[in-house]
Amino acid sequence: MAAMTEPLSLYEVIGGETRVRDMVDRFYDLMDLEPQFAVLRAVHPPTLEHAREQLFLFLCGWMGGPDTYIERNGHPRLRARHMPFAIGTVERDQWLQAMAWAMDDVGIDEALRLRLMESFYQTADWMRNKPD
């Protein structure tokens, strides 16, 4: 009888820590460099290092990798943690565009990008906290 294997986590499928780090770094680089993300960039502090690290740690755990984010910060409470920042449709859409571009730039498979974008859209839409 053949041994049953556990399905790979999303973290393993995407390529682990290195690929998640590459994706997050590209996302924040695009936000910093591209004028089309200016509204989103304005919601962030002058330096993006803390945000880079938090998103990286969160995504690693969310994808089934190490739970370092939760160990350091407790429950993500995403909406509560983002309440101090004005997030509307423009910010949501710019976040999604920057993430889609970042995933494409680091070579995330198209089927996986589509799967991730569905989840990212649901979360980003839920984070909106200001009227348009």
Side-chain angles (χ1 to χ4, degrees):
M1 184 175 198
M4 295 189 65
T5 59
E6 291 287 319
L8 294 176
S9 68
L10 186 53
Y11 179 78
E12 293 167 316
V13 170
I14 204 167
E17 180 179 326
T18 300
R19 186 55 85 61
V20 176
R21 175 69 74 189
D22 290 346
M23 183 175 75
V24 168
D25 283 345
R26 184 63 181 146
F27 169 79
Y28 282 107
D29 290 347
L30 289 165
M31 188 192 309
D32 230 6
L33 297 170
E34 296 297 328
Q36 72 192 65
F37 303 126
V39 173
L40 177 63
R41 180 62 181 93
V43 175
H44 290 78
T47 178
L48 294 172
E49 293 314 307
H50 181 72
R52 281 178 196 265
E53 188 64 12
Q54 293 303 307
L55 182 59
F56 165 72
L57 294 174
F58 172 77
L59 288 179
C60 284
W62 178 77
M63 290 181 181
D67 273 333
T68 309
Y69 180 92
I70 291 174
E71 291 167 6
R72 291 183 187 174
N73 303 299
H75 189 281
R77 299 175 25 239
L78 292 179
R79 188 159 166 81
R81 290 183 195 270
H82 287 80
M83 260 318 168
F85 310 103
I87 301 170
T89 303
V90 171
E91 291 82 3
R92 176 202 66 195
D93 291 350
Q94 287 186 11
W95 194 99
L96 292 166
Q97 289 170 337
M99 185 55 76
W101 188 346
M103 287 192 293
D104 188 46
D105 281 357
V106 300
I108 305 296
D109 173 76
E110 182 179 0
L112 183 54
R113 282 196 324 259
L114 291 173
R115 179 177 165 196
L116 287 168
M117 287 304 292
E118 286 179 24
S119 292
F120 290 157
Y121 176 83
Q122 290 173 357
T123 301
D125 193 54
W126 177 65
M127 302 292 266
R128 290 182 304 130
N129 59 21
K130 74 173 188 177
D132 292 320

